[in-house]
Amino acid sequence: MAEYAKRLWLEEDLGDDYRWSYRVSAVLFSGRSEYQEVDLVDTPTWGKVLLLDGKMQSTEADEQVYHELLVHPPLLHHPNPKRVYIMGGGEGATAREVLRHRSVEEVVMVDIDKVVTDFCAEHLHRNTAAFKDPRLKLINDDARAQLEAAADASFDVIISDLADPLDGGPCYQLYTQEFYSKVVARKLAPGGIFIAQSGPAGFLSCREVFSAIHSTLRSVFPSVVPYAQHIPSFCDAWGYNLVFTDPQQVPLDAEALDARIEERISNLPLHFLDGQTLVGLRQLNKVVRKALAEETEIYTADNARFIHGAGVKAAAAN
Amino acid sequence: MAEYAKRLWLEEDLGDDYRWSYRVSAVLFSGRSEYQEVDLVDTPTWGKVLLLDGKMQSTEADEQVYHELLVHPPLLHHPNPKRVYIMGGGEGATAREVLRHRSVEEVVMVDIDKVVTDFCAEHLHRNTAAFKDPRLKLINDDARAQLEAAADASFDVIISDLADPLDGGPCYQLYTQEFYSKVVARKLAPGGIFIAQSGPAGFLSCREVFSAIHSTLRSVFPSVVPYAQHIPSFCDAWGYNLVFTDPQQVPLDAEALDARIEERISNLPLHFLDGQTLVGLRQLNKVVRKALAEETEIYTADNARFIHGAGVKAAAAN
Amino acid sequence: MAEYAKRLWLEEDLGDDYRWSYRVSAVLFSGRSEYQEVDLVDTPTWGKVLLLDGKMQSTEADEQVYHELLVHPPLLHHPNPKRVYIMGGGEGATAREVLRHRSVEEVVMVDIDKVVTDFCAEHLHRNTAAFKDPRLKLINDDARAQLEAAADASFDVIISDLADPLDGGPCYQLYTQEFYSKVVARKLAPGGIFIAQSGPAGFLSCREVFSAIHSTLRSVFPSVVPYAQHIPSFCDAWGYNLVFTDPQQVPLDAEALDARIEERISNLPLHFLDGQTLVGLRQLNKVVRKALAEETEIYTADNARFIHGAGVKAAAAN
Amino acid sequence: MAEYAKRLWLEEDLGDDYRWSYRVSAVLFSGRSEYQEVDLVDTPTWGKVLLLDGKMQSTEADEQVYHELLVHPPLLHHPNPKRVYIMGGGEGATAREVLRHRSVEEVVMVDIDKVVTDFCAEHLHRNTAAFKDPRLKLINDDARAQLEAAADASFDVIISDLADPLDGGPCYQLYTQEFYSKVVARKLAPGGIFIAQSGPAGFLSCREVFSAIHSTLRSVFPSVVPYAQHIPSFCDAWGYNLVFTDPQQVPLDAEALDARIEERISNLPLHFLDGQTLVGLRQLNKVVRKALAEETEIYTADNARFIHGAGVKAAAAN
């Protein structure tokens, strides 16, 4: 039970008629940017929790799992990843995991909000070293604009660590067919790999955005490997789509994955991921497989304007 | 959003400092037995929800998944399941799934609480037919006593659909080495299969009871196959342990499972389960595998008295 | 503590950033009209609670206090009240208290919502007899239209038991200078008395509507006597404005009030009100007196359109 | 609505099945003593709020009202108050109001918790000057022990600003007949006045402690004048008992009170209190008057042990 007396609860909606609350023992730091409010709170349930606009971004208890699953699959499948581009990821944990790969020479991380990246560099002690790593090039700007401005074939791996496309912000444009085909595909070097965190992927939630992100990627790239894992602080199974640009690439089996983990990553062991784990997560259940197979929607720059709450700013700017 | 005005929330603890709330549009029926309160409520999030003592037992939205994973794996792995014993399962959904197997000739379901079984037979429309099926023999009594009283080798499959061992009730005794070896093992016919719902099995929660149930079963039986799946209304991954009593038995591959589903089960398709699904779920992640490998605790009749809140009544009765 | 297990809470906002919750043991009855949702719930804190659109209307624990203070002061100050008009009051408790006055020959109660009045007549057992009293003439219509249609000088007492003027509904028009001067004043017989429930009247809340209702009434009538009492289920002090149309009328002292209570009211004693009580409540505290003295706003039919959320329908109808 | 994004709520029970929650915009300072946790939080509803063990102690929005009603009535009724003793009052606001009386030469304030008094001296800006006033003698010790140790007839006014007697702490002993007769009565100079904050005094709550404190005081002193006022942040009417030790003393009328306010108090005006206000509050309603008249319980040192949750430590110490 709580070691403190006050009943201070952070409440968050999980749906229209459904919410949860977890106790806060201390509000450690608070800040505000032109984009959002940033808070770091301590909780008995999750340890330290990073909040953006009052919504859980990551927790000490399980961010490691989310980030291992986002970062290591694309890098392990690449023969020799040297240059990595991170869209978003302001918290620093994505960069932290990327930098564990010894082959990596440069990580370009582009997050719009300098207040957030400064805040995390200072207060998230797990990520402090990553922010100081000389291989990290942190740019506070629009992730799309910076990627467009890069030379073609610049990156071995591109990682999309952005808010969901339907969250009402401008992120929608970074989930469209146009963006994938005209920007991502072009900026990846031959054999490049792309991965996108792809929203809730549970059997009740997989049709919200996960299936459409998957079908959009499949409309552009030759091979898309989806997988999902329950993340407790997201209160759902969470989906990823791993994209190969070279039709020769295939998912590695457990043994090959374990061998590459051993060879390439520093500060072993990994906490959550190994070959068997990833192989298991790629076996989606019947409901989710059916949703992916049946999905006909493709996110295009054009239909943004018809999607409630999404791409509004982008559409308005046309 | 809600189609009704009142902000009526059902609140439930998910941990000491962590809870959730979901809106209730109507309290459909309420009852009370000598053991517990029973309610059926309607909710916009989960559809109809069955509550025992105010705690979610099952929801229209996802009970199918929980019950398919509890029932079909043991029955599909048995060469020809005719007689099935259900411990608990008062809701009726476990029996419903068992009765879909054409080979089944008798289902003995023993649930202590007649008020609950009457309530569910009347109000849970999905399960009404199961309660009326002539192959179902419903007994309102102690599940252990009835099983002990049965002739040896009576059942092809025994299903444990009980409250968790540490919930403070008398269920602890039905998770012990003694019960498994002296009762379950003896009442199963040759080649018999046992399955136990085994509590939370997420990477943060698997050491609560899942790993100890697993290690207790392994101390008695030659082969125990664990698997887990995220169940949204349980707000966690949920664990099962499937037990073979014959060392020759091995888990079926996806193709064989699919073939048996096709041959044996009526009213196809299944909603959630197929061969690939179960094969995927058997690939536990690294954290859970490590927890199972490291677990040294075995639930015994004797140590009940040292486990906080568990087996208190049973221990006191000795 | 609760005698039931489920943690079912009714939540209501008390302000923008401030809310309360009380446990519900049972939802007794629910209904819905074209205007609103009606529920009767049972609670350990308040006994039975009537809800309109999920908002507490009255509770078994304290409705008696609210209604004694609304009804008896105007009737006791009138020399011989025979005909009474109630605007709103669908719950029936206002009529119930009026009908305790032996002098009363006719009560016209006009509440827009027949579903509510039927519901209360059936389910609020304290008020059932009032609904059946032959002296009660219940009309389900617009309270203003019916009053306008009545012959001039029809009523000895008019009681306004309506939602607050700023609640966003059409009630605003029944709090305006025009309504008071052109309708209420005209329909009252010589020596007639008017009373309006007048919203929150605490030292933090009295400037929300209480002071403006008071100043509006003072702009029309020769004598307005405000008083207030804390009503727990309203979570605030609650205000009333008692209006004399005859400048000769003066507030009675405690002794005179007690004498009239004794003479005129059946089923004594009153629960809450006596002479000393009312004399005390008329002594408003310094903050509230200052608010009333300083208030310059007068609700007019015209400025409805400038008041956020109020009179919207009425204004739109012009 | 909130100018900040996070939905951080402070939740407090108002009863067994009844609670409220108000949003917290910032946790300004937190501390912990051997007795309790101390927090200062900012809220949109109440302004700054002081919490002891997570319970609202006072709020910027209404502490002035509570403290004016606690301090000025006893001092105004005394002919020439020079020496004042405050039991509890660690927040500093009681001392602040006492020190506004020009006649006061010494205020002895005894609060057990140095962490609280240091915290409030530093963080509650309204009270900072009072803590620095040379007339204030602040002692961190047991309020009873210090009063017993004082010379007889030391004080003109004694103010009891303590937790309620049934809160489970050791305060019960400071509400007993023995304490009043053997300590308070003896330490007051001739014509001395005592006042006790006396807990909830609403028509639903006045029998919890208010009536028994009153009857205990009446069993010792010749004249006890009760009054009550709704305090929003206490979510109830709050009671006070003003005690005259000289049978000649009588409550002052409104005019006399106003005159003394004018003569004696610095930094006028008072925010809430004037003669008419206090005269009104002394007119208790019928339900509360009846409760006081019927109360037969008297708190004695002896019956502490039979009162649930009260005086446990004291009883155990015998």
Side-chain angles (χ1 to χ4, degrees):
Chain A
M1 294 294 279
E3 292 167 25
Y4 52 93
K6 59 182 171 294
R7 285 159 54 186
L8 193 63
W9 293 90
L10 203 38
E11 178 184 287
E12 197 174 331
D13 287 338
L14 297 172
D16 281 342
D17 297 288
Y18 166 41
R19 69 188 184 202
W20 70 1
S21 305
Y22 47 94
R23 286 185 75 174
V24 169
S25 47
V27 178
L28 301 174
F29 306 100
S30 294
R32 185 190 297 269
S33 75
E34 62 179 306
Y35 305 102
Q36 54 204 335
E37 187 179 301
V38 196
D39 294 277
L40 185 67
V41 302
D42 206 357
T43 72
T45 304
W46 306 107
K48 295 200 181 85
V49 175
L50 177 72
L51 304 171
L52 294 184
D53 275 349
K55 287 183 195 137
M56 247 187 195
Q57 290 305 302
S58 78
T59 79
E60 214 172 25
D62 62 9
E63 63 86 6
Q64 184 73 34
V65 173
Y66 168 79
H67 288 106
E68 287 191 3
L69 287 171
L70 178 66
V71 169
H72 300 308
L75 272 78
L76 291 173
H77 279 87
H78 192 280
N80 187 22
K82 295 186 175 175
R83 304 197 70 244
V84 177
Y85 189 89
I86 301 171
M87 303 196 287
E91 173 186 352
T94 298
R96 177 194 71 207
E97 294 302 314
V98 170
L99 290 163
R100 292 173 77 178
H101 284 256
R102 293 193 197 93
S103 64
V104 168
E105 296 171 359
E106 184 176 44
V107 181
V108 179
M109 166 178 159
V110 183
D111 190 287
I112 194 79
D113 197 336
K114 182 169 170 24
V115 171
V116 169
T117 52
D118 285 354
F119 185 99
C120 295
E122 182 179 352
H123 298 304
L124 300 185
H125 300 307
R126 285 183 182 174
N127 304 344
T128 304
F131 278 103
K132 292 182 181 161
D133 192 301
R135 295 173 290 166
L136 179 69
K137 185 174 169 194
L138 167 58
I139 301 172
N140 292 117
D141 192 7
D142 177 63
R144 178 183 184 145
Q146 284 288 328
L147 190 56
E148 286 174 338
D152 284 0
S154 294
F155 300 103
D156 299 312
V157 172
I158 297 177
I159 296 172
S160 170
D161 188 14
L162 298 164
D164 286 352
L166 304 190
D167 268 4
C171 279
Y172 177 84
Q173 291 298 328
L174 289 86
Y175 287 88
T176 59
Q177 198 180 41
E178 289 81 354
F179 177 67
Y180 293 148
S181 62
K182 294 186 188 155
V183 186
V184 171
R186 195 171 295 167
K187 302 306 174 182
L188 280 171
I193 293 179
F194 175 65
I195 189 159
Q197 84 76 6
S198 299
F203 58 82
L204 295 179
S205 58
C206 60
R207 290 174 193 261
E208 292 172 15
V209 298
F210 179 61
S211 57
I213 296 172
H214 181 78
S215 81
T216 304
L217 287 165
R218 274 198 316 193
S219 77
V220 173
F221 295 107
S223 173
V224 182
V225 180
Y227 54 94
Q229 163 62 30
H230 173 237
I231 305 288
S233 71
F234 296 172
C235 209
D236 206 341
W238 214 252
Y240 302 83
N241 280 291
L242 175 68
V243 172
F244 298 133
T245 55
D246 178 347
Q248 309 301 325
Q249 288 168 313
V250 290
L252 297 175
D253 64 19
E255 197 167 286
L257 286 163
D258 286 337
R260 288 194 175 180
I261 289 169
E262 205 61 38
E263 278 166 38
R264 298 180 175 188
I265 300 181
S266 59
N267 299 317
L268 291 177
L270 296 182
H271 174 64
F272 180 80
L273 186 74
D274 64 5
Q276 185 176 342
T277 300
L278 188 61
V279 167
L281 301 183
R282 290 193 312 229
Q283 305 301 316
L284 299 174
N285 64 59
K286 184 182 169 188
V287 174
V288 175
R289 293 196 329 263
K290 188 156 176 279
L292 296 190
E294 292 174 357
E295 182 62 72
T296 58
E297 185 174 13
I298 288 179
Y299 290 142
T300 64
D302 207 48
N303 64 11
R305 67 191 69 204
F306 306 112
I307 294 179
H308 171 70
V312 176
K313 292 176 198 171
N318 288 345
Chain B
M1 293 296 279
E3 292 168 25
Y4 51 93
K6 59 182 171 292
R7 285 157 55 186
L8 192 62
W9 294 91
L10 202 39
E11 179 183 286
E12 197 173 332
D13 286 337
L14 297 172
D16 281 341
D17 297 287
Y18 165 43
R19 68 188 185 204
W20 70 1
S21 305
Y22 47 95
R23 286 186 74 173
V24 169
S25 47
V27 178
L28 301 174
F29 305 101
S30 293
R32 186 189 297 268
S33 75
E34 63 180 304
Y35 305 102
Q36 54 204 336
E37 186 179 302
V38 197
D39 295 278
L40 185 67
V41 301
D42 206 357
T43 73
T45 304
W46 306 107
K48 295 199 181 86
V49 175
L50 176 72
L51 304 171
L52 293 184
D53 274 349
K55 287 184 196 136
M56 248 189 195
Q57 290 305 301
S58 78
T59 80
E60 215 172 24
D62 61 9
E63 64 85 6
Q64 185 71 34
V65 173
Y66 168 79
H67 288 108
E68 288 191 3
L69 287 171
L70 178 67
V71 168
H72 300 308
L75 272 79
L76 291 173
H77 279 88
H78 191 279
N80 187 21
K82 295 187 175 174
R83 304 197 70 245
V84 177
Y85 189 88
I86 301 171
M87 304 196 286
E91 173 186 351
T94 298
R96 177 194 71 206
E97 294 302 313
V98 170
L99 290 162
R100 291 173 78 180
H101 285 255
R102 295 194 197 90
S103 62
V104 167
E105 296 172 358
E106 184 175 46
V107 181
V108 179
M109 167 178 156
V110 184
D111 190 286
I112 193 79
D113 196 337
K114 182 169 172 21
V115 171
V116 169
T117 53
D118 285 355
F119 185 99
C120 295
E122 181 178 354
H123 297 304
L124 299 185
H125 301 305
R126 285 183 182 175
N127 304 344
T128 305
F131 278 103
K132 293 182 181 160
D133 192 303
R135 294 174 291 165
L136 179 70
K137 185 173 170 196
L138 168 58
I139 301 171
N140 292 117
D141 191 7
D142 177 62
R144 179 183 183 145
Q146 285 288 327
L147 190 56
E148 285 174 338
D152 283 358
S154 293
F155 300 102
D156 300 312
V157 172
I158 298 177
I159 296 173
S160 170
D161 188 14
L162 299 164
D164 286 352
L166 304 191
D167 268 4
C171 280
Y172 177 83
Q173 291 298 329
L174 289 86
Y175 287 89
T176 58
Q177 197 181 40
E178 289 81 353
F179 177 66
Y180 292 147
S181 61
K182 295 187 189 155
V183 186
V184 171
R186 194 172 295 167
K187 302 306 173 181
L188 281 171
I193 293 179
F194 175 66
I195 190 159
Q197 84 76 7
S198 299
F203 59 83
L204 296 178
S205 58
C206 60
R207 291 175 192 262
E208 292 171 15
V209 298
F210 180 60
S211 56
I213 296 172
H214 181 77
S215 80
T216 304
L217 287 165
R218 274 197 316 191
S219 76
V220 173
F221 296 107
S223 173
V224 182
V225 180
Y227 54 94
Q229 164 62 31
H230 174 236
I231 304 289
S233 71
F234 297 172
C235 209
D236 207 341
W238 214 253
Y240 302 84
N241 281 292
L242 175 68
V243 172
F244 298 133
T245 54
D246 177 347
Q248 309 301 323
Q249 288 168 313
V250 289
L252 296 174
D253 64 19
E255 197 167 283
L257 286 163
D258 286 336
R260 289 194 174 177
I261 288 169
E262 204 61 37
E263 279 165 38
R264 298 178 173 189
I265 300 181
S266 59
N267 299 316
L268 291 179
L270 295 182
H271 173 64
F272 180 80
L273 186 74
D274 65 4
Q276 184 176 342
T277 301
L278 187 62
V279 168
L281 301 183
R282 292 194 310 229
Q283 306 301 315
L284 300 174
N285 64 60
K286 184 182 167 189
V287 174
V288 175
R289 294 198 325 267
K290 189 157 175 278
L292 297 189
E294 291 174 356
E295 182 61 72
T296 58
E297 184 173 14
I298 288 179
Y299 290 143
T300 64
D302 207 47
N303 65 8
R305 68 191 68 202
F306 306 111
I307 294 180
H308 172 70
V312 175
K313 293 178 196 168
N318 287 346
Chain C
M1 292 296 279
E3 292 170 24
Y4 52 94
K6 60 184 170 292
R7 286 157 56 185
L8 193 61
W9 294 91
L10 203 38
E11 177 183 288
E12 197 173 331
D13 286 337
L14 297 171
D16 281 342
D17 297 289
Y18 166 43
R19 68 187 185 203
W20 71 1
S21 305
Y22 46 94
R23 284 185 76 174
V24 169
S25 47
V27 177
L28 301 174
F29 305 101
S30 293
R32 184 190 297 269
S33 75
E34 62 180 301
Y35 304 103
Q36 54 204 335
E37 184 179 301
V38 197
D39 295 278
L40 186 67
V41 300
D42 206 357
T43 73
T45 306
W46 306 107
K48 293 199 181 86
V49 175
L50 177 70
L51 304 172
L52 294 184
D53 274 348
K55 288 184 194 137
M56 247 188 194
Q57 289 306 299
S58 78
T59 80
E60 214 173 25
D62 62 9
E63 64 84 7
Q64 185 71 34
V65 172
Y66 168 80
H67 288 107
E68 288 191 4
L69 287 171
L70 178 68
V71 168
H72 300 308
L75 272 78
L76 291 173
H77 279 88
H78 191 280
N80 186 21
K82 296 188 174 174
R83 303 197 71 244
V84 177
Y85 189 88
I86 301 171
M87 303 196 287
E91 174 186 352
T94 299
R96 175 194 72 206
E97 294 301 313
V98 170
L99 291 163
R100 292 173 77 178
H101 285 255
R102 295 194 197 89
S103 64
V104 167
E105 296 171 358
E106 183 175 46
V107 182
V108 179
M109 167 177 156
V110 184
D111 190 286
I112 193 80
D113 197 338
K114 181 168 169 28
V115 172
V116 169
T117 54
D118 286 354
F119 184 99
C120 295
E122 181 178 354
H123 297 304
L124 300 185
H125 300 306
R126 287 183 180 174
N127 304 343
T128 304
F131 278 102
K132 292 182 181 160
D133 192 303
R135 294 173 292 165
L136 179 69
K137 184 174 169 196
L138 168 58
I139 301 171
N140 292 116
D141 192 8
D142 177 63
R144 178 183 184 145
Q146 284 288 327
L147 190 55
E148 285 175 338
D152 284 358
S154 294
F155 299 102
D156 300 311
V157 172
I158 297 177
I159 297 172
S160 169
D161 188 14
L162 299 164
D164 286 352
L166 304 191
D167 267 4
C171 280
Y172 176 84
Q173 291 297 329
L174 289 84
Y175 286 89
T176 58
Q177 198 180 41
E178 289 81 353
F179 177 67
Y180 292 147
S181 62
K182 294 186 188 156
V183 186
V184 171
R186 195 172 294 167
K187 303 305 174 183
L188 282 170
I193 293 180
F194 175 66
I195 190 159
Q197 85 76 8
S198 300
F203 57 84
L204 295 179
S205 59
C206 60
R207 290 175 193 261
E208 292 172 15
V209 298
F210 180 60
S211 58
I213 296 172
H214 181 77
S215 83
T216 304
L217 287 164
R218 274 197 316 193
S219 76
V220 174
F221 297 106
S223 173
V224 181
V225 181
Y227 55 93
Q229 164 61 30
H230 174 236
I231 304 289
S233 70
F234 296 172
C235 207
D236 207 342
W238 215 252
Y240 302 84
N241 280 291
L242 176 68
V243 172
F244 298 134
T245 54
D246 178 347
Q248 310 300 325
Q249 288 168 313
V250 289
L252 297 174
D253 64 18
E255 197 166 285
L257 286 163
D258 286 337
R260 289 193 173 177
I261 288 169
E262 204 61 36
E263 279 165 37
R264 298 178 173 190
I265 299 181
S266 59
N267 299 317
L268 289 179
L270 295 182
H271 173 65
F272 180 80
L273 186 75
D274 66 3
Q276 184 177 341
T277 301
L278 187 61
V279 167
L281 301 182
R282 291 194 310 229
Q283 304 302 316
L284 300 174
N285 64 59
K286 185 183 168 189
V287 173
V288 175
R289 296 198 324 266
K290 189 156 175 278
L292 297 189
E294 291 174 359
E295 183 61 73
T296 58
E297 185 174 13
I298 288 178
Y299 290 141
T300 65
D302 208 47
N303 64 11
R305 69 190 69 200
F306 306 112
I307 295 179
H308 171 71
V312 174
K313 293 177 195 168
N318 287 348
Chain D
M1 293 297 278
E3 292 169 24
Y4 53 93
K6 59 184 170 293
R7 286 158 55 185
L8 192 62
W9 293 91
L10 204 39
E11 179 183 287
E12 198 174 332
D13 287 338
L14 297 171
D16 280 342
D17 297 289
Y18 166 42
R19 69 188 184 202
W20 71 1
S21 305
Y22 47 93
R23 284 184 75 174
V24 169
S25 47
V27 177
L28 301 174
F29 306 101
S30 293
R32 184 189 297 269
S33 75
E34 62 180 303
Y35 305 103
Q36 55 204 336
E37 185 179 303
V38 197
D39 295 278
L40 185 68
V41 301
D42 206 357
T43 73
T45 305
W46 307 106
K48 296 202 180 86
V49 174
L50 177 71
L51 304 171
L52 294 184
D53 274 349
K55 287 183 194 137
M56 249 188 194
Q57 290 304 301
S58 79
T59 80
E60 214 173 25
D62 63 10
E63 64 84 6
Q64 185 72 33
V65 173
Y66 167 79
H67 288 107
E68 288 191 4
L69 287 170
L70 178 68
V71 168
H72 300 307
L75 272 78
L76 291 172
H77 279 87
H78 191 281
N80 187 21
K82 295 187 177 176
R83 303 196 72 245
V84 177
Y85 189 89
I86 301 171
M87 303 195 288
E91 174 186 353
T94 299
R96 176 195 71 206
E97 293 302 313
V98 171
L99 291 163
R100 291 173 77 179
H101 285 256
R102 294 195 197 90
S103 64
V104 167
E105 295 171 0
E106 185 176 43
V107 181
V108 179
M109 167 178 158
V110 183
D111 190 286
I112 193 80
D113 196 337
K114 182 167 169 27
V115 171
V116 170
T117 54
D118 285 354
F119 184 99
C120 295
E122 182 178 352
H123 297 304
L124 300 185
H125 301 305
R126 287 181 179 176
N127 304 344
T128 304
F131 277 102
K132 292 182 180 161
D133 192 302
R135 294 174 291 166
L136 179 68
K137 186 176 170 193
L138 167 58
I139 300 171
N140 291 117
D141 191 9
D142 177 63
R144 177 180 185 148
Q146 285 288 327
L147 190 57
E148 286 174 338
D152 285 359
S154 294
F155 298 103
D156 300 312
V157 172
I158 297 177
I159 297 173
S160 168
D161 188 13
L162 299 164
D164 286 353
L166 304 190
D167 267 4
C171 280
Y172 177 83
Q173 291 298 329
L174 290 85
Y175 287 89
T176 59
Q177 198 180 40
E178 290 81 354
F179 177 67
Y180 292 147
S181 61
K182 294 187 189 155
V183 186
V184 171
R186 194 170 298 167
K187 302 306 173 182
L188 281 171
I193 293 180
F194 175 67
I195 189 158
Q197 85 76 8
S198 300
F203 58 83
L204 296 179
S205 59
C206 60
R207 291 175 193 261
E208 291 172 16
V209 298
F210 179 61
S211 57
I213 297 172
H214 182 77
S215 82
T216 304
L217 287 165
R218 275 198 317 193
S219 77
V220 174
F221 296 106
S223 173
V224 181
V225 180
Y227 55 93
Q229 163 62 29
H230 173 235
I231 304 289
S233 70
F234 297 172
C235 209
D236 207 341
W238 215 252
Y240 302 84
N241 281 292
L242 176 68
V243 172
F244 298 132
T245 54
D246 177 348
Q248 310 301 324
Q249 288 168 313
V250 289
L252 297 174
D253 65 18
E255 197 167 285
L257 286 163
D258 285 337
R260 289 194 174 178
I261 288 169
E262 203 62 36
E263 279 166 37
R264 298 177 174 191
I265 299 182
S266 60
N267 299 317
L268 290 177
L270 294 182
H271 174 65
F272 181 79
L273 186 75
D274 65 3
Q276 185 177 340
T277 300
L278 188 61
V279 167
L281 301 183
R282 292 193 311 228
Q283 306 300 316
L284 300 174
N285 64 60
K286 184 182 168 187
V287 173
V288 175
R289 294 198 325 266
K290 188 155 175 280
L292 297 189
E294 291 174 358
E295 181 61 70
T296 58
E297 184 173 14
I298 288 180
Y299 290 142
T300 65
D302 208 47
N303 64 10
R305 68 190 69 203
F306 306 112
I307 295 179
H308 171 70
V312 174
K313 293 176 196 169
N318 287 347

